[in-house]
Amino acid sequence: MDNRTEGEGALTGDGGGYPPREALEDAWTEHSRYVGFAAGLFAVGIVVGIALMAAGYNLLEIIEEAVGEPLFPDISGQSKLELARFLLVNNSRAFVLSILGVLTLGLLTAWAMLFNGVIVGNIGAFVATDAGIGYILVGLLPHGIFELPALFVAAGVGFRLLYRVGQRVRGSRDAVFSKSYLYRTGILLVAGWLLLVVAAFVEAFVTPVLLETLFAEQVQAAS
């Protein structure tokens, strides 16, 4: 049964009875807890990554030795536009996989949030030790404030979908999908993906300028 009290907004015809802004608000109300859960997993991962750094474990080196190749590809020769395109494609894959993690009962999505948090925490802690906390903040925050919420939204949609499947199995929900659910969740995902677009261009065009302006010596030492 669709009703507004459960976030199941009325959808008629081409969506004219359910304005996109209202649908987005309903989608956020429905998914916010799950987005917060994803962010919490990422935060736990950051703490674990920092703890591993304090114990002397450089995960970047360990993973590269294990797989026999660099964890991050060499993108130094690319133009800024090519870099933005590369970042968007790479993050879009993570975005889609976070949603499809529902097929693994949410395990893949949870692992992705934790693992990425561990990597960011570990590498960030090592870089901060060498170049300073200001360097890592400038290097991560300008694009991270767009990229991370987008990935948390994707993970939140995956977790919420898993919960809806569980409700259907238990018989407390008539159907996993409804037109209004697909409509508003689709709008939320489009909004999240657009954040990835912004993040990619910020990381490619803005972050390097900020680092070169504010931390010229560290950038030169790293190059």
Side-chain angles (χ1 to χ4, degrees), residues 16 39 43 61-62 79 109 136 148 155 173 176 179:
E61 294 180 355
I62 293 173
S79 68
T109 303
I136 194 66
L148 291 179
R173 179 176 290 279
V176 175
K179 288 183 179 180

Side-chain angles (χ1 to χ4, degrees), residues 30 34 99 101-106 157-177 181:
E30 179 179 5
Y34 303 89
I99 302 169
V102 66
L103 299 176
T104 64
L105 299 181
V157 168
F159 287 136
R160 173 60 181 169
L161 180 56
L162 179 63
Y163 184 75
R164 289 176 68 99
V165 171
Q167 287 180 310
R168 180 69 184 90
V169 171
R170 293 194 306 270
S172 60
R173 179 176 290 279
D174 293 335
V176 175
F177 302 108
Y181 168 76

Side-chain angles (χ1 to χ4, degrees), residues 131-168:
I133 187 66
Y135 181 88
I136 194 66
L137 289 177
V138 171
L140 293 179
L141 284 182
H143 71 274
I145 58 175
F146 300 105
E147 180 180 313
L148 291 179
L151 296 178
F152 296 155
V153 162
V157 168
F159 287 136
R160 173 60 181 169
L161 180 56
L162 179 63
Y163 184 75
R164 289 176 68 99
V165 171
Q167 287 180 310
R168 180 69 184 90

Side-chain angles (χ1 to χ4, degrees), residues 40-76:
L41 289 174
F42 185 84
V44 170
I46 288 180
V47 173
V48 172
I50 294 173
L52 290 173
M53 176 270 176
Y57 294 97
N58 188 324
L59 295 182
L60 183 59
E61 294 180 355
I62 293 173
I63 294 174
E64 288 181 346
E65 289 179 4
V67 300
E69 61 183 26
L71 184 60
F72 302 106
D74 183 11
I75 53 178
S76 58

Side-chain angles (χ1 to χ4, degrees), residues 37 49 103 113:
F37 177 66
L103 299 176
M113 294 298 104

Side-chain angles (χ1 to χ4, degrees), residues 83-119:
L83 176 57
R85 186 183 301 114
F86 168 81
L87 293 169
L88 180 57
V89 170
N90 191 55
N91 288 331
S92 294
R93 290 196 187 105
F95 188 84
V96 172
L97 286 176
S98 293
I99 302 169
L100 296 181
V102 66
L103 299 176
T104 64
L105 299 181
L107 294 178
L108 177 61
T109 303
W111 169 250
M113 294 298 104
L114 279 170
F115 179 76
N116 283 317
V118 170
I119 293 298

Side-chain angles (χ1 to χ4, degrees), residues 172-188:
S172 60
R173 179 176 290 279
D174 293 335
V176 175
F177 302 108
S178 67
K179 288 183 179 180
S180 57
Y181 168 76
L182 293 174
Y183 174 66
R184 65 176 179 273
T185 303
I187 290 177
L188 178 63

